[in-house]
Amino acid sequence: MKFYSENWFEATSKFAHRAMDVGVFSAYKTPDMQYEITCVTIGSGDNKIVINSGVHGIEGYFGSAAQNMFLANMVSKISEPALDKFSIVLIHVINGWGMQNRMREVFDKKNGGLIDLNRNFGIDFSKPEQLPINPKYAIAHPVLLSTPDKIIKKEAIKKFRQEHLKDGVWAAISHGQYYEPYGLFYGGCERLPENVATMRIYDDIMGKNAKSLISIGLHTGLGRFYRKKADVTSSLLVSHPETHKNTLFFKEKLAPNVPITPDNNAISGPTLLGDLVDCLENRYKSRNIPVYTADFEIGTGEFPIMSPVYKRMDMGDARYDLLHYGKINNETWANLTESWYPSDVRWKNAALRRVEILFNDIIYYMNSISK
Ligand SMILES: [Zn+2]
């Protein structure tokens, strides 16, 4: 539990102290940002491995704790030859505002609305009329943003989910949209400062000579928390079908210890709009080097029950409240937090055990090909 923090300042100071002990520490600020993004680089090789955390503030301090655990317990397992061949970079809490305010998104002070940073990457905002469209989201928006009501609204969303599980409308809610600032998974109308800073960090990591990039984001909220067994699911989400070379790479290096989940719908392109992983793959495409990206997801289970319905309802209610009253109802906020970052100590410990398996596999890979 010592790796977990209660707020952004505590998390960042823990990270900075440990980072300075084992690597080269740096901090990135953008002019209008109150929070800085901190990083540590360990090793000096041209093959880059990046682990980032905190894109979504509602997911709490799991990613930060995982990185602190890595710095405290795992850096010593990396061999000298591996430190020559690889640089491993930890990017700590990309969305500082969201983390401190326990919101998934970044509040857009200038234009209003809540922007999901992971729908803001790699989007060309210069031509508003050419922004990506997600017409299926529009079908779900009215019910999601309807007046909060635990019985009527819950039943309406439950019914909507049953009706639209097969036609892709339910799934499309999370794919990203660019026209409804208080809608769910809104990607914004310009690049967020956190996006600009993150790209600057990655460009600095890649320099001119990078020979490869493996980038993994740490997230929570997809999958199960088995309260009685005190265990959680973990899964590496790859935004490509199972036969894609990137999926095969992760399978070969990390499975079966780390379950790999491909996206078989991403045949002609990524399913999510504006996500970091696909943005990175596009950004370094012209270099003709291997670029492998994924998100590591820790399950948070069924809280309270029927989590898919509750999660979407709570997200819609939070937006309704912000739009109409300027603040989120305490109960909605508590439900959201618990859905993405359970307060249960057993969850926190189980989540670290799962990510330790991922880190051990990465170190094993680094060491074994650096002999
Ligand atoms: Zn997330």
Side-chain angles (χ1 to χ4, degrees), residues 87-271:
S87 304
I88 184 152
V89 184
L90 310 184
I91 305 177
H92 181 254
V93 186
I94 291 176
N95 180 2
W97 182 89
M99 194 62 68
Q100 185 62 12
N101 292 282
R102 305 309 315 283
M103 294 285 289
R104 175 186 177 88
E105 303 83 357
V106 179
F107 183 64
D108 187 348
K109 282 192 227 87
K110 201 166 115 196
N111 307 297
L114 288 170
I115 302 174
D116 189 323
L117 188 51
N118 211 28
R119 304 293 180 277
N120 187 260
F121 289 106
I123 299 287
D124 179 4
F125 290 103
S126 68
K127 298 187 189 80
E129 68 286 354
Q130 284 174 25
L131 282 168
I133 54 163
N134 177 1
K136 283 181 178 169
Y137 172 80
I139 302 170
H141 182 78
V143 65
L144 294 168
L145 267 284
S146 61
T147 315
D149 183 294
K150 274 195 203 80
I151 299 159
I152 299 168
K153 184 167 178 175
K154 194 196 84 186
E155 286 306 315
I157 294 181
K158 199 173 150 189
K159 194 163 150 256
F160 186 90
R161 180 173 181 264
Q162 279 157 0
E163 279 169 12
H164 292 290
L165 260 182
K166 289 208 178 103
D167 62 12
V169 171
W170 179 260
I173 293 171
S174 65
H175 292 175
Q177 52 89 12
Y178 299 86
Y179 75 103
E180 200 69 72
Y182 281 91
L184 276 65
F185 301 96
Y186 172 60
C189 58
E190 58 188 16
R191 284 181 71 196
L192 285 169
E194 290 84 349
N195 168 347
V196 175
T198 303
M199 287 306 118
R200 207 144 34 93
I201 295 170
Y202 272 95
D203 285 348
D204 284 352
I205 293 167
M206 297 302 279
K208 286 193 173 66
N209 303 321
K211 287 188 184 135
S212 66
L213 171 66
I214 298 170
S215 177
I216 296 174
L218 302 176
H219 290 259
T220 63
L222 267 184
R224 296 291 306 272
F225 167 34
Y226 304 98
R227 233 165 254 272
K228 280 192 188 140
K229 281 197 290 170
D231 202 4
V232 295
T233 59
S234 67
S235 182
L236 193 81
L237 306 189
V238 184
S239 67
H240 298 289
E242 55 197 329
T243 50
H244 189 277
K245 64 173 174 33
N246 287 24
T247 316
L248 296 173
F249 171 81
F250 283 118
K251 271 213 164 122
E252 192 193 314
K253 305 304 174 202
L254 303 175
N257 294 349
V258 178
I260 311 289
T261 308
D263 181 358
N264 287 327
N265 292 321
I267 298 159
S268 52
T271 304

Side-chain angles (χ1 to χ4, degrees), residues 7-20:
N7 59 61
W8 178 86
F9 299 94
E10 183 193 346
T12 303
S13 97
K14 271 186 196 172
F15 178 78
H17 278 108
R18 293 191 194 280
M20 285 169 196

Side-chain angles (χ1 to χ4, degrees), residues 311-325:
K311 270 183 180 163
R312 294 298 172 254
M313 181 176 79
D314 290 335
M315 289 177 92
D317 286 357
R319 283 159 179 76
Y320 182 96
D321 287 354
L322 274 175
L323 196 52
H324 292 86
Y325 311 116

Side-chain angles (χ1 to χ4, degrees), residues 55-59 104 116 118 218-221 295 297 340:
V55 164
H56 294 133
I58 196 77
E59 296 168 13
R104 175 186 177 88
D116 189 323
N118 211 28
L218 302 176
H219 290 259
T220 63
D295 282 324
E297 279 278 356
W340 267 272

